Amino acid sequence: DVTTEGIRVTVRARYLPERSRPDMGHFFFLYTVRMTNVGSTPAKLESRHWTIQDAQGRTEEVRGPGVVGKFPRLEPGQAFEYTSFCPLPTPTGSMYGTYQMVRDDGAGFDAVVGRFELSEPMAYN
């Protein structure tokens, strides 16, 4: 749960056993992001940048336009929520990143997405 320049970003992640194949090193995670404009000026999401790390320290960078094909514009008080996925070759890992946002006057900033854990429930047993 991180707020940057009035944009609050909260993430919930969960393991999806029905899409995973642990015997083949394939662990599938869903994550739901909720971004809320708690500030006083509108902002539009233009692009995203994720850093994904697995349990063996391998890192992958993902960049792209929008999120799930959308470019949400948030008025003060508005929220946008979406769900996406992340496959990993290990039962645990983490993600963090930024959303590149633009104000109506053209000013840009990066809304921070704090690090969150991806963990298969039995990974620590």
Side-chain angles (χ1 to χ4, degrees), residues 97-114:
T98 55
Y99 294 121
Q100 291 65 56
M101 309 292 292
V102 160
R103 302 276 185 207
D104 289 350
D105 66 2
F109 66 96
D110 287 345
V112 174
V113 182

Side-chain angles (χ1 to χ4, degrees), residues 31-45:
Y31 59 91
T32 299
V33 176
R34 181 175 181 85
M35 56 188 78
T36 306
N37 187 341
V38 297
S40 58
T41 56
K44 180 181 177 191
L45 186 147

Side-chain angles (χ1 to χ4, degrees), residues 83-105:
T83 299
S84 193
F85 64 91
C86 178
L88 286 179
T90 59
T92 63
S94 65
M95 291 177 66
Y96 63 92
T98 55
Y99 294 121
Q100 291 65 56
M101 309 292 292
V102 160
R103 302 276 185 207
D104 289 350
D105 66 2

Side-chain angles (χ1 to χ4, degrees), residues 11-12 15-16 22-23 27 37-38 51 53 81 87 96 109 114:
V11 183
R12 293 182 321 273
Y15 176 65
L16 213 59
D23 57 320
F27 300 85
N37 187 341
V38 297
T51 300
Q53 193 167 44
E81 187 171 286
Y96 63 92
F109 66 96

Side-chain angles (χ1 to χ4, degrees), residues 2 4 9 11 31 33 47-53 60-63 82 94-100 110-116:
V2 178
T4 310
V9 180
V11 183
Y31 59 91
V33 176
S47 60
R48 69 191 183 282
H49 172 219
W50 288 110
T51 300
I52 304 165
Q53 193 167 44
E60 179 183 357
E61 303 279 328
V62 177
R63 297 176 189 271
Y82 74 95
S94 65
M95 291 177 66
Y96 63 92
T98 55
Y99 294 121
Q100 291 65 56
D110 287 345
V112 174
V113 182
R115 181 182 298 269
F116 58 96

